[in-house]
Amino acid sequence: MTGFPRYAIYYAAGCDSALSRFGAELLGYDAYTGDELPFPQQALHVAPDWREVSADPRKYGFHATLKAPMALAPGKTEAVLLAVCQAFAGKTRPIPTIRPVIDAISGFIAVIPAEPVEALQRLAADCVREFDPFRAPLTAEDRARRKPEKLSERQRDYLDRWGYPYVMEEFRFHMTLTGRLDAERRGPILQMLRTRFAALGIETLAVDRIALFRQDDAKARFRIIDEWALVR
């Protein structure tokens, strides 16, 4: 079994941001506070089973992955990981800015960039590389869970090298709002989410911080334990 606790380096939009509130309400869970939240009536109207529709992303909290969940390697500690997160955030770098939209990606619905942003790809790649020394090696069970037989050769190579197949050129920024949906269900839900998102008036989004999430055990949800603003 995968070791616990597990940690992940994610982008989260800030506890007071409209985007974070949007995501937390739809998932019914606030990863900043650990609170359960009531689902919006609009979501329940379109999908009475919204709790099931949003079950998968709820476990992780509203986020975009930069370094995928990992157990700590032998000799590594949470205190040192926190210090390295702070040091990483303190390095001067271009701050990626995206034009966020709601769309389907691999069968689920998420906030994604309307077009590729090179600085965002670099930020994600930097996170993968710099935090990899903290990652415990994949177990055979971990690797099998990723279904390597369904991955491309490059994705399998990345899985074995970095513990996660969707890194480097394979990385796609996404802040997930639903589990996988059949095509016939996706349309009405996509429209509802686009309507709610449009009401926020977010035309651009700066990916200007990183957050450290922790999952204490297999049944626990991920929760934010600290976050850091990136230095421009």
Side-chain angles (χ1 to χ4, degrees):
M1 174 63 73
T2 300
F4 289 94
R6 291 199 300 165
Y7 297 85
I9 313 298
Y10 289 157
Y11 166 74
C15 61
D16 296 325
S17 72
L19 181 58
S20 282
R21 291 194 299 273
F22 167 83
E25 289 170 0
L26 286 162
L27 297 186
Y29 170 62
D30 187 335
Y32 280 96
T33 64
D35 292 338
E36 296 265 349
L37 301 175
F39 298 122
Q41 287 301 311
Q42 190 178 11
L44 292 169
H45 177 74
V46 172
D49 61 340
W50 186 258
R51 176 169 291 278
E52 289 70 40
V53 167
S54 57
D56 286 344
R58 186 179 309 115
K59 292 182 295 187
Y60 299 91
F62 188 55
H63 76 280
T65 299
L66 296 171
K67 180 67 175 176
M70 59 188 179
L72 293 184
K76 300 296 184 180
T77 67
E78 180 180 302
V80 175
L81 179 56
L82 285 162
V84 172
C85 287
Q86 183 174 15
F88 178 91
K91 296 177 181 177
T92 303
R93 70 183 73 242
I95 302 298
T97 299
I98 67 171
R99 183 166 63 88
V101 298
I102 302 283
D103 210 344
I105 174 174
S106 300
F108 54 87
I109 299 173
V111 178
I112 66 171
E115 51 273 320
V117 174
E118 184 179 348
L120 182 55
Q121 298 295 119
R122 289 201 304 271
L123 173 63
D126 287 347
C127 282
V128 169
R129 294 187 186 99
E130 294 200 29
F131 292 105
D132 203 60
F134 285 89
R135 178 178 61 83
L138 285 180
T139 65
E141 182 182 356
D142 291 332
R143 191 177 188 279
R145 186 170 53 85
R146 290 290 177 190
K147 296 181 172 58
E149 68 280 3
K150 295 185 178 181
L151 300 175
S152 69
E153 182 177 356
R154 180 164 64 184
Q155 289 168 347
R156 285 193 298 274
D157 288 344
Y158 285 156
L159 176 63
D160 292 333
R161 172 63 184 88
W162 303 108
Y164 190 61
Y166 307 112
V167 299
M168 309 308 173
E169 306 96 314
E170 300 292 328
F171 170 75
R172 298 174 71 185
F173 180 96
H174 57 281
M175 304 183 77
T176 309
L177 293 165
T178 73
R180 295 186 189 276
L181 297 168
D182 294 337
E184 61 269 20
R185 293 210 69 191
R186 203 177 304 146
I189 292 174
L190 185 57
Q191 184 56 52
M192 178 272 294
L193 292 173
R194 284 174 170 167
T195 298
R196 289 185 64 84
F197 186 72
L200 303 180
I202 301 174
E203 296 185 1
T204 60
L205 175 65
V207 182
D208 59 359
R209 61 189 61 231
I210 61 169
L212 182 62
F213 284 55
R214 182 178 65 209
Q215 182 191 30
D216 290 334
D217 57 58
K219 295 182 179 180
R221 294 175 184 162
F222 279 82
R223 184 167 175 182
I224 296 169
I225 59 174
D226 210 341
E227 66 175 353
W228 302 264
L230 300 177
V231 174
R232 297 179 185 273

